[in-house]
């Protein structure tokens, strides 16, 4: 894997990680011991046959490798890039105990990129069943569900409220981590199976709930799009963004190319980002690329940062300033932001998640102010309430999620849900995994 | 897929009425809702209220204020916009209130026809009050005369109708008769001032808030407004709210986040238009 030089890459939105060469891929593949009981597979939420595809890479049979991956994962070029491999497949690889784990993600990405360059093979499609299925949302959950359902011969329509498909892959994750051509290629592949995509259709509004429920089956993949705000003083000052807004303005609306594109965004000389997950890293690195000095404020310790390891390392290299063990108490300014006041945090014994509980340190000395003209809050998203609040019969959980059984079935028997709307904010691969389960169950009820 | 502007016309000075072919919007549109439009690939998403819906067509009425609305105003019948999403937002609270007064200021007048129709069919007595700076900026008078039981016209300069503001008429009406519900739609400052008239009598008063939006579906929080001390997203929790609970100063401040960029964008556009214009003459 080669990464582009820091000085160069913070000037643009091109991909940071350039992937591995064919030779290195084959070499890396030969490191795999092809374990009989492979731990790595257990670590992958969709249980890809990892030793199987890696051995095909070692044999330079990349087509076969692609086929193996794709029987479990429709979007390998994406997952190879964005999966938190250190907590999933690679985290479980036996080689990781003594030396470095096999770089499964990089290999998966290599295979997917190879296939895209060398022509994607169309999967077989079953005979038309005459059943109509509606898929709501075109994020990874919706795309996966649509592909699986189309392959099973159903007539599938995806409804997407935005003007572009992809969900978070399009409006959230920046192109320097996930180039938009790749998202487009993967979506085009799904559409080539005969799936109909209706953009600008807000289900619940453009498509009344009764019309939705009149489909033979429904898959809800509406995601966790509702941004949380901290609820502190000064939050509605000009220059305070949710990460969703900031990233949408840049990734979806191209505000980085203003005024060539019409949507503006405040670039900020100094930008403070609050949070420590992937969303916070992405916001920080986008702001950096638009020329800002960036401060990232996180309430726990550096080792607790929940973002992907690789992206934390990239953010550090790109000169993001980290303030760990600190939490904002108020945003200062009027009408525009001028700074953010924080309090230093002490770590108490770990909570259920195993991470230490941060508690604010008392007294004025524990407070400090960071000057900033833009503040970006990346403290979490909850399930999108727009549609599910309009479907009365749908059972919802405390966190605003749709309650589903182990097959993804909701409290309405022909309505299924998967991805962040069911699990709460999670990962791309988990969204795909839950969508696959749900589509298997949909196939059962449509038999 | 793009959406065809079936009929484009200028109905008052710098105010345009477009009928756009968008069945997914028109078939489900209700009073109080809006659309988000993006003209082309590089365009911004802008919210515009649904002024009427008929068959496959939805009507928007807008004023040319900045780059996007001025660019939009150059389209002609038969042209296309790339995206139109909707209907968005909660519909107005339509029920039998009794005596309703609907007030439109400036281009906000455009929001009244669909609302007046809905309220009348719910059995209300509807009085419309429309106001603008002068006669040239008045719109939809004839239509509103049909839709309302009574229509009062005001102009700031007295060039037509009552010489003064809709608030003056509203105050008079509040003294004369029993009013059960009021809608006020127009520029923020006009809504703020006009809605003060109904505070003493505690008359239920709705306003339609117009903060800066991006998606219009509750995903970004750009449109957040403070209502009774609580943060709400105008695009999904509104756009209509109880006028007496709105933090007006915050709304007006948040409408001015990007003055420099708006200026730059408009100048760029106008310069480009001039250059293109010259080419035509060559
Ligand atoms: C900035 C950011 C970075 C991330 N980085 C990573 C990462 O590195 N690795 C990783 O694994 N995960 C990452 N995630 C998480 C991951 O992106 C999500 O878990 C995943 O996208 C969830 O997929 P989904 O299909 O459930 O929902 P989404 O991707 O949210 O898609 C939902 C779609 O539904 C549409 N929709 C909603 N309501 C309606 C409606 N009523 N009608 C029509 N359409 C509707 C939305 O517009 C949206 O397009 C990141 C998330 C963010 C925000
Ligand atoms: C729910 C709602 C309904 C609306 N209905 C109508 C309508 O029916 N007719 C009409 O003429 N106008 C309406 N507006 C206002 C309209 O959206 C703005 O005039 C338009 O976005 C201006 O864009 P511009 O590029 O032409 O101007 P700009 O120069 O970009 O901006 C001029 C002013 O318009 C406002 N504005 C700019 N961008 C946005 C945005 N993305 N969202 C909201 N406001 C913005 C700002 O306050 C700004 O100061 C509505 C606004 C909202 C929120
Ligand atoms: S999908 Fe993700 S977790 Fe599974 S093998 Fe690929 S990179 Fe690893
Ligand atoms: S655990 Fe590691 S070595 Fe074993 S099969 Fe998986 S990738 Fe190969
Ligand atoms: S416009 Fe994005 S949440 Fe309202």
């Amino acid at each position: 894997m080669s990464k582009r030089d820091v000085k160069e890459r913070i000037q643009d939105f091109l991909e940071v990680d350039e992937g591995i060469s064919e030779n290195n891929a084959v070499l890396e593949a030969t490191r795999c011991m092809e374990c009989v009981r492979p731990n790595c597979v257990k670590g992958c939420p969709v249980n890809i046959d990892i030793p199987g595809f890696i051995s095909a890479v070692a044999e330079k049979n990349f087509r076969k490798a692609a086929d193996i991956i794709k029987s479990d994962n429709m979007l390998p070029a994406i997952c190879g890039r964005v999966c938190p491999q250190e907590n999933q497949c690679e985290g479980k690889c036996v080689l990781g105990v003594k030396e470095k784990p096999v770089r499964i993600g990089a290999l998966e990405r290599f295979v997917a990129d190879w296939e895209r360059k060398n022509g994607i093979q169309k999967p077989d499609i079953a005979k038309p069943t005459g059943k109509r299925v509606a898929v709501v949302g075109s994020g990874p959950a919706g795309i996966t569900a649509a592909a699986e359902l189309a392959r099973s011969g159903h007539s599938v329509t995806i409804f997407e409220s935005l003007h572009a498909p992809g969900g978070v892959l399009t409006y959230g994750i920046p192109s320097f981590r996930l180039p938009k051509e790749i998202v487009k290629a993967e979506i085009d592949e799904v559409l080539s199976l005969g799936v109909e995509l209706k953009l600008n259709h807000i289900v619940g509004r453009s498509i009344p709930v009764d019309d939705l429920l009149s489909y033979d089956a429904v898959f809800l993949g509406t995601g966790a799009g509702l941004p949380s705000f901290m609820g502190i003083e000064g939050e509605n000052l000009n220059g305070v963004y949710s990460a969703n807004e900031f990233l949408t303005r840049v990734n979806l609306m191209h505000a980085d190319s203003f005024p060539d594109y019409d949507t503006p965004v405040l670039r900020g000389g100094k930008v403070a980002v609050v949070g420590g997950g992937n969303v916070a890293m992405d916001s920080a690195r986008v702001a950096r690329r638009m020329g800002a000095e960036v401060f990232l404020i996180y309430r726990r310790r550096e080792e607790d940062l929940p973002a992907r390891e690789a992206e934390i390392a990239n953010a550090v290299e790109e000169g993001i300033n980290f303030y760990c063990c600190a939490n904002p108490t108020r945003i200062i300014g009027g009408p525009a932001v001028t700074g953010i006041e924080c309090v230093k945090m002490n770590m108490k014994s770990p909570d259920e998640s195993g991470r230490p509980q941060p508690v604010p340190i008392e007294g004025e000395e524990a407070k400090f102010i960071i000057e900033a003209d833009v503040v970006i809050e990346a403290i979490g998203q909850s399930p999108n309430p727009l549609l599910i609040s309009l479907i009365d019969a749908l059972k919802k959980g405390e966190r605003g999620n749709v309650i589903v059984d182990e097959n993804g079935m909701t409290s309405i028997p022909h309505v299924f849900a998967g991805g962040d709307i069911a699990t709460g904010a999670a990962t791309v691969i988990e969204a795909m995994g839950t969508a696959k389960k749900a589509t298997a169950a949909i196939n059962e009820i449509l038999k | 897929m793009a959406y065809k502007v079936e009929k484009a016309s200028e109905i008052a000075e710098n105010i345009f009425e477009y009928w756009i072919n968008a069945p997914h919007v028109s078939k489900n549109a209700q009073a109080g809702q809006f659309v988000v439009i993006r003209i082309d690939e590089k365009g911004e998403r802008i919210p515009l209220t649904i002024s009427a819906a008929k068959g496959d067509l939805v009507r928007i009425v807008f004023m040319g204020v900045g780059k996007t609305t001025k660019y939009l105003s150059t389209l002609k019948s038969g042209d296309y916009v790339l995206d139109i999403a909707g209907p968005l937002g909660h519909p107005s609270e339509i029920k039998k209130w009794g005596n309703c007064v609907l007030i439109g200021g400036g281009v906000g007048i455009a929001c009244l026809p669909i609302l007046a129709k809905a309220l009348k069919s719910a059995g209300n007595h509807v009085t419309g009050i429309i106001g603008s700076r002068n006669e040239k900026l008045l719109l939809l008078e004839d239509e509103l005369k049909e839709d309302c039981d009574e229509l009062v016209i005001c102009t700031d300069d007295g060039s037509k109708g009552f010489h003064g503001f809709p608030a003056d008429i509203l105050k008079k009406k509040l003294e004369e008769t029993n009013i059960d519900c009021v809608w006020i739609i127009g520029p923020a400052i006009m809504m703020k001032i006009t809605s003060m008239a109904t505070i003493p009598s505690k008359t239920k008063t709705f306003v339609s808030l117009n903060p800066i939006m991006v998606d219009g579906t509750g995903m970004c929080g750009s449109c957040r407004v403070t209502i009774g001390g609580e943060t709400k997203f105008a695009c999904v929790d509104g756009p209509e709210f109880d006028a007496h609970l709105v933090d007006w100063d915050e709304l007006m401040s948040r409408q001015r986040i990007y003055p420099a960029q708006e200026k730059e964008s408009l100048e760029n556009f106008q310069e480009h238009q001039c250059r293109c214009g010259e080419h035509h003459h060559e």
Side-chain angles (χ1 to χ4, degrees):
Chain A
M1 175 177 53
S2 64
K3 272 201 267 181
R4 288 170 58 230
D5 181 64
V6 174
K7 279 205 214 73
E8 180 194 300
R9 76 186 194 226
I10 61 167
Q11 312 284 336
D12 63 38
F13 282 78
L14 301 176
E15 196 167 16
V16 167
D17 180 341
E18 293 180 305
I20 51 179
S21 64
E22 183 175 319
N23 282 342
N24 286 343
V26 174
L27 213 63
E28 180 67 14
T30 57
R31 287 183 62 228
C32 172
M33 307 198 302
E34 296 179 28
C35 308
V36 187
R37 277 188 218 87
N39 272 343
C40 55
V41 176
K42 282 186 229 142
C44 170
V46 296
N47 307 120
I48 292 181
D49 174 8
I50 295 168
F53 99 74
I54 292 184
S55 101
V57 173
E59 292 160 12
K60 294 201 187 177
N61 190 344
F62 305 130
R63 177 72 67 194
K64 182 174 163 202
D67 290 344
I68 294 174
I69 296 174
K70 283 200 146 168
S71 66
D72 293 305
N73 179 352
M74 275 294 301
L75 312 171
I78 294 170
C79 293
R81 285 173 168 82
V82 306
C83 266
Q85 286 98 1
E86 68 271 18
N87 307 324
Q88 298 181 348
C89 52
E90 294 179 18
K92 291 259 160 58
C93 170
V94 289
L95 289 185
V97 182
K98 289 215 175 109
E99 38 174 327
K100 283 200 170 141
V102 176
R103 287 166 48 209
I104 304 165
L107 290 175
E108 181 171 325
R109 167 182 167 171
F110 167 78
V111 171
D113 289 353
W114 179 91
E115 194 198 21
R116 207 172 50 256
K117 278 189 214 104
N118 290 276
I120 289 170
Q121 239 162 20
K122 252 193 164 170
D124 300 331
I125 301 180
K127 274 207 302 291
T129 60
K131 305 281 187 188
R132 293 161 66 238
V133 187
V135 171
V136 189
S138 64
I143 298 170
T144 306
E148 296 284 332
L149 292 163
R151 277 161 69 169
S152 308
H154 309 308
S155 142
V156 182
T157 305
I158 305 181
F159 296 103
E160 169 56 52
S161 56
L162 293 175
H163 61 257
V168 170
L169 306 177
T170 298
Y171 75 73
I173 303 180
S175 51
F176 55 80
R177 230 159 41 86
L178 182 61
K180 298 305 157 218
E181 316 77 89
I182 289 172
V183 178
K184 186 175 181 303
E186 306 247 19
I187 292 171
D188 285 348
E189 202 186 326
V190 173
L191 297 182
S192 77
L193 304 174
V195 170
E196 184 187 20
L197 171 64
K198 292 204 167 215
L199 299 172
N200 298 314
H201 280 62
I202 300 98
V203 178
R205 297 274 182 227
S206 328
I207 303 291
V209 168
D210 287 346
D211 290 6
L212 178 72
L213 297 180
S214 74
Y215 280 78
D216 296 312
V218 175
F219 176 82
L220 304 176
T222 49
L226 177 69
S228 308
F229 286 91
M230 285 182 288
I232 59 175
E233 188 187 324
E235 217 157 30
N236 291 348
L237 291 174
N238 293 350
V240 181
Y241 289 111
S242 72
N244 267 9
E245 179 181 353
F246 183 73
L247 292 171
T248 299
R249 282 183 180 272
V250 178
N251 296 334
L252 181 69
M253 305 309 300
H254 305 287
D256 55 305
S257 303
F258 180 89
D260 186 25
Y261 281 75
D262 292 339
T263 304
V265 71
L266 297 175
R267 282 162 178 262
K270 291 187 173 165
V271 174
V273 177
V274 184
N278 286 319
V279 186
M281 293 307 144
D282 285 345
S283 307
R285 295 172 67 201
V286 164
R288 182 83 183 111
R289 279 162 175 73
M290 291 195 300
E293 192 182 348
V294 183
F295 304 88
L296 187 135
I297 304 162
Y298 176 57
R299 60 201 184 122
R300 294 193 176 89
R301 302 164 306 175
E302 195 158 336
E303 57 266 42
D304 302 316
L305 285 166
R308 285 182 84 218
E309 228 166 52
E311 309 310 343
I312 299 169
N314 286 335
V316 172
E317 281 172 18
E318 288 166 13
I320 309 297
N321 304 290
F322 284 71
Y323 281 91
C324 289
C325 299
N327 206 32
T329 43
R330 81 194 154 98
I331 299 169
I332 306 163
V337 174
T338 56
I340 180 165
E341 182 193 71
C342 303
V343 58
K344 293 184 186 148
M345 307 292 274
N346 239 339
M347 297 301 122
K348 285 260 172 73
S349 46
D351 61 11
E352 318 85 83
S353 75
R355 292 178 305 174
Q357 281 284 30
V359 207
I361 299 174
E362 306 261 325
E364 283 304 304
E365 320 78 75
K367 288 198 175 147
F368 63 98
I369 289 174
I370 301 174
E371 271 178 43
D373 26 44
V374 167
V375 169
I376 302 170
E377 296 192 15
I379 56 158
Q381 293 94 232
S382 25
N384 191 328
L386 182 78
L387 170 59
I388 63 173
S389 65
L390 293 170
I391 311 180
D392 296 330
L394 213 53
K395 266 216 194 92
K396 287 136 225 162
E398 270 168 30
R399 293 166 301 132
N401 56 312
V402 173
I403 293 184
V404 293
D405 69 8
E406 66 284 1
N407 296 318
M409 191 191 281
T410 67
S411 50
I412 306 174
H414 73 301
V415 178
F416 292 74
D420 285 359
I421 191 70
T423 58
T427 61
V428 172
I429 189 69
E430 279 168 280
M432 295 174 52
T434 51
K436 257 191 96 161
K437 263 203 196 128
T439 51
I442 292 175
N443 280 335
E444 279 304 308
I445 67 156
L446 291 185
K447 258 186 192 157
Chain B
M1 196 191 134
Y3 304 85
K4 193 168 175 190
V5 179
E6 298 286 355
K7 190 159 167 279
S9 39
E10 184 168 359
I11 56 169
E13 191 177 78
N14 194 28
I15 296 177
F16 304 84
E17 175 196 76
Y18 284 14
W19 287 92
I20 301 178
N21 195 317
H24 64 299
V25 180
S26 66
K27 296 241 152 64
N28 304 294
Q30 296 176 59
Q33 294 185 304
F34 64 96
V35 294
V36 163
I37 285 189
R38 195 176 67 130
I39 304 173
D40 61 19
E41 206 41 58
K42 294 186 173 179
E44 186 173 9
R45 294 172 64 98
I46 67 154
L48 295 169
T49 306
I50 297 169
S51 167
K54 204 191 266 167
D56 288 349
L57 305 185
V58 56
R59 179 174 73 181
I60 52 165
V61 175
F62 61 94
M63 186 161 46
V65 290
K67 152 86 200 254
T68 305
T69 46
K70 285 203 194 293
Y71 179 25
L72 191 61
S73 74
T74 64
L75 300 191
K76 298 185 187 61
S77 306
D79 287 344
Y80 289 81
V81 292
L82 190 54
D83 298 294
I84 174 167
L88 295 160
H90 275 295
S92 308
E93 203 175 319
I94 303 297
K95 63 174 188 187
K96 177 136 199 227
W97 295 91
N99 258 335
C100 297
V101 174
L102 313 188
I103 302 178
V107 72
I109 298 169
C111 309
L112 301 190
I114 190 170
L115 182 58
K117 279 196 190 75
L119 285 169
K120 257 192 67 174
S121 30
N124 293 285
H125 182 273
V126 177
T127 305
I129 308 174
I130 59 174
S132 63
R133 259 185 291 134
N134 58 52
E135 189 182 1
K136 283 191 213 142
L137 295 167
L138 279 172
L139 48 137
L140 305 177
E141 278 171 62
D142 293 341
E143 191 175 331
L144 280 164
K145 265 189 203 131
E146 296 265 308
D147 295 336
C148 300
D149 295 295
E150 184 193 351
L151 183 71
V152 185
I153 294 165
C154 323
T155 49
D156 300 1
D157 66 355
S159 49
K160 183 160 189 182
F162 172 77
H163 185 173
F165 300 108
D168 305 327
I169 306 284
L170 174 63
K171 279 182 208 144
K172 221 169 86 212
K173 296 255 170 219
L174 284 163
E175 283 162 18
E176 285 167 5
T177 50
N178 180 45
I179 294 172
D180 300 290
C181 194
V182 177
W183 269 264
I184 306 171
I185 306 176
I189 185 72
M190 171 267 182
M191 292 193 281
K192 174 184 175 175
I193 290 171
T194 313
S195 64
M196 283 177 179
T198 56
I199 296 175
S201 56
K202 297 203 177 73
T203 310
K204 182 80 182 169
T205 305
F206 289 107
V207 283
S208 179
L209 301 188
N210 46 7
I212 295 177
M213 296 187 173
V214 183
D215 57 305
T217 68
M219 193 193 83
C220 75
S222 166
C223 62
R224 59 198 190 277
V225 289
T226 302
I227 309 294
E230 258 183 78
T231 296
K232 299 275 180 195
F233 289 3
C235 69
V236 284
D237 300 323
E240 291 185 358
F241 293 101
D242 182 334
H244 301 147
L245 299 177
V246 174
D247 182 338
W248 292 104
D249 295 340
E250 181 185 274
L251 172 70
M252 287 187 269
S253 164
R254 285 187 62 78
Q255 286 177 335
R256 287 188 300 267
I257 301 179
Y258 306 103
Q261 289 87 340
E262 283 156 7
K263 188 160 169 270
E264 185 183 353
S265 191
L266 183 59
E267 283 172 359
N268 237 13
F269 170 67
Q270 283 168 335
E271 195 183 307
H272 180 79
Q273 257 200 330
C274 290
R275 266 189 277 125
C276 291
E278 277 162 31
H279 279 295
H280 276 294
H281 295 298
E282 272 166 18

